Amino acid sequence: MFDPRVSPDYRWVRVSTRPRYELARKQSLGGRMRGFFDLLPFRRGDDLSRFSFERSLAEVGVPATDMSPEDELVQLLKEAADIEQGLMLQYLYAAYSLKVLVAAGAVRLIAVEEMGHFVTVQNLLAACGSAPSFGRGRWDRGNPFKPFPFRLEAASVGTLAKYAVAEMPDPALVSADVKPDLPDLTAQADAAAGTPVEAHRVGLLYAKIYWLLRRNDDPLPDPSKEAWAGFPVAEMAANADLRGRHVRDGFVVDATAANATPEQWRGNYRSVIVDPISGRESALGAVAEIAAQGEGFANVAQSHFGRFVEAWRLAKASTDLALPVAVDPFYAGVGGDEITSTDGRLFALMADKIYELVLLCTATHLLLPKATTPDVRAKPAKAAIVAMRDCLSVLAGTLSSIPVSDQSPGKVCGLPFTAPSTPTSPDLKKVVGRAREVMAEVHRTIGEVDQSNVSSALKITAASIGDTLDDPIKLLLDSIPL
């Protein structure tokens, strides 16, 4: 049985799917539906049916509030942004630890795709008249949608199983070659998480977002036109707490002039979803596309689940899978493994400042006025990508060469991904001002490295990171019309 979490913000509204099963039962007697009926989640004898869409709707339900549909949509999109950023960081951390290059590349690409989900959710927020949302603190304060507790850790058979299950579609849609692995996969995932991994939570979040975005309760005359294939429109409408709860016409506006675009963000990664939002229909399409690629109940070719399963299989066959990186590393405040080595603390601080720059550049991109020319709008996107791809990846490798402490020579440092101490403001002027401050802090830290007793190789690495950042950040800061 499910045990829905209690949240001060949400209650869970269960959606009965029994009529669908009864219809399938009757039709199955005719022959054509017999095979389909046998595959329905409640017909399976194993516990994997807890991940099915129908059972999740019936036993957990979808989140609900007493807000207006418009306010609720914005709130749920902020929750989605929180989840997408948290997944991205955990996947990146694991990818940077992997020694098996094929697995590392696969997990890193999934992290990049999560960045695309994160940016698309920001586009959706903009289309709803909301400022960008960059928080992720609710992972640690009981986010009711997180599939497992937040944990930065090295890749292992267990962690890859955990990530795979978090992205698993309805088990009825899992390919035949993977189904025999599901019992082991879920058992290892639960063990690694220390709690049952709840893949359905994020899928139910996106299902409610999708419902709020629909124009009304009516099924489409042509069901094939529904962006979310097989979405239970009639079942949702039958619930009094959900009936008629859709955002008003005109609430979701054309935000394409201010939205992030694929050309600016995905580079050569064709699988990265970055959808500009032109109105209600494109918003529905974007939500359905995100859910299908990762956290929803549908399944598509090259889904996150399928690629995590392949990485998990590679991990099981490996005898030297990952670096012994710290778990939840920190150098100030509290966390898991404390970085006490002087070199490690300097480079960890630099990494945190550069991650803050990634967020600030992303916020700048999304807060630019609609009249901003495309060449200017592209600059903060480029700066964010350079900081992530060319600087954080180098720092991940550098930190992994530095012991956490003199007392723990066998364990090495990792990217702390500490939440910025200064929250990202919806004010463009404040965001750009903070970016200038952070860039100055990065250079001060590079100066400390240069004056320290670290090796010449580490000094060269720090200086090269500063040089790599200087041009795109300077171009960004000099071009913003304040």
Side-chain angles (χ1 to χ4, degrees):
M1 292 295 292
F2 289 109
D3 180 21
R5 297 191 185 99
V6 176
S7 166
D9 304 315
Y10 302 102
R11 63 184 183 276
W12 292 91
V13 174
R14 295 180 179 184
V15 178
S16 174
T17 53
R18 183 57 56 187
R20 180 176 291 193
Y21 296 133
E22 295 304 324
L23 175 62
R25 183 188 300 276
K26 293 174 183 177
Q27 290 179 326
S28 70
L29 298 177
R32 282 198 310 165
M33 293 296 293
R34 186 174 292 112
F36 169 73
F37 180 64
D38 288 339
L39 289 174
L40 284 174
F42 289 141
R43 296 282 291 179
R44 296 198 294 274
D46 57 59
D47 188 47
L48 296 173
S49 60
R50 67 187 170 107
F51 299 116
S52 76
F53 194 13
E54 288 84 358
R55 186 172 170 186
S56 296
L57 285 170
E59 296 193 13
V60 179
V62 292
T65 72
D66 294 325
M67 300 175 179
S68 69
E70 292 77 19
D71 288 344
E72 184 176 23
L73 175 60
V74 170
Q75 180 62 33
L76 291 177
L77 286 171
K78 290 178 179 179
E79 300 284 9
D82 182 76
I83 291 292
E84 298 294 359
Q85 185 183 185
L87 290 175
M88 175 185 73
L89 297 183
Q90 291 173 89
Y91 296 169
L92 267 181
Y93 195 88
Y96 289 142
S97 77
L98 277 162
K99 293 182 179 181
V100 179
L101 296 183
V102 174
V107 176
R108 186 167 54 249
L109 176 55
I110 294 171
V112 172
E113 290 168 352
E114 293 294 354
M115 181 200 72
H117 293 186
F118 176 70
V119 172
T120 297
V121 171
Q122 305 302 330
N123 283 351
L124 285 159
L125 282 165
C128 295
S130 174
S133 178
F134 292 87
R136 64 178 176 89
R138 276 175 60 84
W139 268 89
D140 304 316
R141 298 197 305 270
N143 186 306
F145 308 109
K146 65 182 182 184
F148 46 73
F150 186 91
R151 187 176 172 89
L152 297 174
E153 59 186 332
S156 67
V157 172
T159 57
L160 293 171
K162 178 174 68 172
Y163 301 154
V165 171
E167 305 268 2
M168 186 165 68
D170 189 307
L173 302 178
V174 171
S175 61
D177 70 304
V178 175
K179 282 186 177 179
D181 288 327
L182 291 183
D184 284 346
L185 194 71
T186 53
Q188 291 170 14
D190 292 349
T195 185
V197 176
E198 300 189 85
H200 51 278
R201 294 284 173 173
V202 187
L204 293 169
L205 167 64
Y206 277 118
K208 182 59 183 294
I209 289 171
Y210 187 87
W211 179 249
L212 291 166
L213 283 167
R214 286 190 94 257
R215 191 176 301 278
N216 52 45
D217 294 349
D218 301 332
L220 296 180
D222 180 357
S224 69
K225 301 295 185 184
E226 192 75 56
W228 185 313
F231 193 83
V233 175
E235 291 88 341
M236 297 280 280
N239 188 297
D241 288 318
L242 301 175
R243 190 180 306 127
R245 285 192 62 82
H246 310 283
V247 297
R248 65 180 181 272
D249 285 340
F251 180 70
V252 183
V253 302
D254 184 347
T256 52
N259 276 173
T261 66
E263 297 76 20
Q264 295 160 342
W265 283 94
R266 71 184 186 187
N268 295 323
Y269 296 115
R270 298 294 95 186
S271 61
V272 174
I273 298 168
V274 177
D275 287 346
I277 308 302
S278 60
R280 188 191 296 267
E281 296 306 317
S282 68
L284 285 165
V287 171
E289 193 175 14
I290 290 172
Q293 187 181 59
E295 293 80 35
F297 294 91
N299 199 14
V300 293
Q302 289 299 300
S303 68
H304 290 182
F305 171 71
R307 282 176 283 161
F308 270 131
V309 169
E310 290 304 314
W312 173 73
R313 287 172 170 171
L314 287 170
K316 289 199 300 178
S318 174
T319 57
D320 188 21
L321 180 65
L323 296 164
V325 293
V327 176
D328 289 331
F330 74 102
Y331 55 92
V334 296
D337 291 323
E338 183 177 9
I339 299 173
T340 60
S341 60
T342 302
D343 299 355
R345 292 173 73 87
L346 282 172
F347 279 88
L349 173 63
M350 192 188 312
D352 266 356
K353 294 304 176 185
I354 290 175
Y355 181 62
E356 185 175 355
L357 272 177
V358 171
L359 296 179
L360 291 166
C361 291
T362 305
T364 299
H365 175 83
L366 295 164
L367 291 169
L368 286 171
K370 290 184 178 180
T372 304
T373 59
D375 63 316
V376 172
R377 189 174 295 282
K379 289 177 181 177
K382 180 180 179 181
I385 292 169
V386 167
M388 180 71 83
R389 181 194 62 203
D390 300 335
C391 297
L392 282 181
S393 61
V394 171
L395 283 167
T398 301
L399 283 163
S400 70
S401 71
I402 301 173
V404 169
S405 68
D406 294 335
Q407 289 71 39
S408 302
K411 185 172 286 189
V412 295
C413 301
L415 296 170
F417 285 128
T418 307
S421 57
T422 305
T424 304
S425 167
D427 183 307
L428 179 61
K429 185 174 182 179
K430 290 181 180 178
V431 169
V432 173
R434 178 58 186 163
R436 293 184 191 279
E437 292 173 2
V438 173
M439 193 62 187
E441 291 169 7
V442 169
H443 276 289
R444 279 198 293 273
T445 305
I446 292 171
E448 288 184 52
V449 170
D450 189 57
Q451 295 302 312
S452 71
N453 293 323
V454 304
S455 67
S456 58
L458 288 180
K459 292 181 180 182
I460 291 171
T461 297
S464 67
I465 286 171
D467 293 342
T468 300
L469 272 178
D470 277 342
D471 283 347
I473 296 294
K474 186 175 187 302
L475 285 172
L476 160 65
L477 297 176
D478 290 349
S479 64
I480 300 302
L482 296 178

